[in-house]
Amino acid sequence: MFKSIIEILLKGFFSGQEIETTDLLKADQQIKGLLHNILLLLGGTLMFCMGLYRYSQGNNVLAAIEFSLLGIMILLYILSFFKISFNVLSFFTMLSLIAIATIAISGDLYIIGMLVSILFPIIFLLLFGLKIGIALSMLLLMVIVVLRFPFFFTPGFNQYFHLGIVGLYFFMVIIQIFNALSLNFRNNVIANITNSLRAEHDQMAAMKDNLKTAIFLLNEKIEIQPQYSRSLETIVQEEDLAGENFLTILSSSIKPKDIKTLEYFFDMVINRKFESEMLEDINPLTQFVFINRKTLEEKTLRCTFSPITGKDNKPYLLATMEDITREIELQQQLSEEDNRRQNEMNAVYEIVHLDSQVLLDFIEDADFEFSHINAILKADKRSTPTQVLNEIYNSIHSIKSNALILGLNSYSQQLHSYEDEIKSIRNLDKEPTFEDFLRLTFLLETLIKTNDGFKQIIDKISAFSKKSTAQKDEIKVFAELLEENVRKTSLGKGKIVNLKITELDEQVIQRGPRRIIKDMITQLLRNSVSHGIEAPEDRITLGKTEAGNITLSITTANDNIHIVLQDDGKGIDFTAVAEKAKQLNLLNETELTNQSKLLNLLFSTNFSTAKIVDLYAGRGAGLSIVKKTINDMNGTLKLKTKENVGVKWTIDIPFKA
Amino acid sequence: MEKYITPFIVACEEVFAHFVGTKLTAERPYITQKDEEHEWVVSGIIGFSREARGAVVISMRKEPALKITEMLTGKKHSDIDEEVIDAIGEIVNIIAGNAKKGLEESFKLAISLPTIVRGLNHDITWPGDSARVIAVPFKIFEDESICLSIAMESLAGNSNV
Amino acid sequence: MKTILVVDDSQIMRNIVKNTFLLIKIPCSFIEADNGQDALKELEKNPVDLVLLDWNMPRLSGIDFLKQVRANSKYAKLPIIMVTSEAAKYNVIEALQSGATDYIIKPINEKKFTEKILKIDL
């Protein structure tokens, strides 16, 4: 009850407005409004009393004037509830007060009237400021002087009184002027300080917001404090982060058990449990992949944390966060570039050791294979995608064999990776798709480019050396290549093998299908070394020479190229073949003992008894290619094998000398 | 590297399906020499730069060019004239526009305004230091074909892309 | 003369650690244990000035040993340095949280090791 009376009174005095507590300007305005209302109240009350008094005295005219003034004051009070310009309203209020003063001064109550009017300048200058306040004060003074004019010259008490009042009035005005000036001055000083503080604050905010690195504070509960850099929102792509727990923002980026460990870390930093250097070292967020909670977009970020004491003397973490995705990408690119250059250097070293004629042969062979592959790719309906894939594989395999012999290891690796690609497509067990071929084509281009690189190197080298222009004996090169092949393969297998070429017909090399024959023989030689010839210790145990022997003869007879290749190894290991066949479920029980069936298997694609698929053998491609090649050329292949004695291959291919 | 050509392939298929109203079937890609003789009479060249630099070229022979123009304008042309060139240019523009969005977002590539080259066995100035171009043939109109080719400058770290 | 307890399941590693100490030229004697359980027993038997602790061990792992030792108020001030090949920061933080005084990563960099030992003020 009491409370509501107070509320009504307050509402009344403040003209229905809420009491302003935060905005100082508005509060100032409200106080003026309060004063205004109080003056209305006082003035109104006075008029009411005076009016009654006059009326009881029978002075109806004055009473009427006084009651009208009361009416005006009530009206002004009501108007104060509406949004009328305060200056206009209070001006009329002042006029009313001046009117009251006039009445007071002119009648028999003039002494009180004149004394009270000294107070008016205070009100005028307070409500209206310097200029209007002085104007109104002068106006009132004029009114007083005019009304009491005669009394200024009446000697005696009146003269002293009136002159004294005017003097006091002036004095009051001057005091109020000084008051107002001093107030203005103080106000200006405060305004300046406020402005410069605001400017500084804006500058800090601008700096903070324009830095790409986000700066923010975390409290002991790891909650983000308000006043964080705008860039924090940009990096984590979330808004309204104040109060959010930093760890929940990381919830998609870090494993739950690691989040727990992060809490320990923050605790260590914020409570300075270890030296800052150590803490920097073990900061898990120095570089990490941030995954956005909502969009799952990934970025690489760097965060740092330092302990700091807040204004409230509580410990906080000063954290920074930077998006270093681009930086890391560049680093990776640079190191990839570095690697690539290293590989290139290695490749060059490998090439430089080769005889240029040998390298030219290799390049030519590779070119041939590449054109072959391209032709197959272009040829539309003739082969199924799987067939195309196999053809490509065979060609690449061929190039790889040559590369290996020449010791072009980096190139062999590239080719090997290409074979792997093909093999992984094959393993999917469905037809190769357009995308598969697209990828293979692009990779092929890279291989061809490397081959081009070899050509460039040869050109550069031949510019310097004279030897390269000399014609090397083709036969010698052919034989050397094969011997090199055997040497390399046997080295890789930990065996010692000698190749003896007993006969080599020129015509075959010069006019025959040199490349094809070379490939076939290479394959067979490799097979012998890998599977046929035993390890040196085993050979000694068996009473054989430590080194294995392979003999090769290439002759022409009866319109045929006649190739005989014989090794003194252990012969075809039918047990191993049968085992593999059983493993792969390729034959049934009875077939497993049938030697010719097992031999056929040996020649099929993908079949290999080698336990390790390495560069040299074991892809199960070699023998199948041999068989296919011979078939394609309408030739025949005879295979003779005896356990522990060796294997003899006899190949006849039609040939017109 | 093939990641750059895939948006163009997709854009081609979509644009031909929606605008021209005919189906394109991508066939096995192959490698061709830059200066190889060809039978294309008109090519639209779309260059790209920034993360990688190169060009994508859409080429076709006379018959498909005429047929496409007919499908777009309703008028039959007997030979390659300005209207045909305009029509083909339009198609290439739209393809470039379609591919552009995907490329700019994913790969930071900037695509240039396509240019049209014409004439029998016309020369295309390919960027890049390699002598070869990767070509993707598309079957169109049962027995015709158009070709989408790409060549790029080799940049750091691109050899294993 | 300081007593150092070296806990590591590899004899080789223990030797390396001992050698590194000898290079620092602080006179000390060594007690060795190849797993956490035995290490605890050794700790009870003899007063020890410093423990060098490996992370991955059978029976009682490094971190479990650490927790058990710290649970005993008698050893609250005992310096324990974690010696680990696990450079993963999360593991290191866990160790420090469980009470390790410091950590060092294998292969041991002599200079860093010296700094850390000297910091402990044996």
Side-chain angles (χ1 to χ4, degrees), chain A residues 260-290:
Chain A
K260 195 91 190 94
T261 316
L262 257 184
E263 279 177 24
Y264 296 150
F265 174 70
F266 286 140
D267 174 58
M268 288 177 197
V269 179
I270 210 173
N271 293 316
R272 303 174 208 240
K273 285 188 179 162
F274 294 95
E275 280 182 20
S276 56
E277 207 185 301
M278 160 117 93
L279 290 171
E280 260 173 55
D281 274 344
I282 60 174
N283 178 2
L285 301 182
T286 299
Q287 184 178 316
F288 71 104
V289 174
F290 170 73

Side-chain angles (χ1 to χ4, degrees), chain A residues 580-591:
Chain A
K580 185 84 186 215
K582 197 160 164 206
Q583 236 179 48
L584 295 174
N585 257 325
L586 294 170
L587 296 178
N588 61 39
E589 289 295 330
T590 43
E591 289 169 324

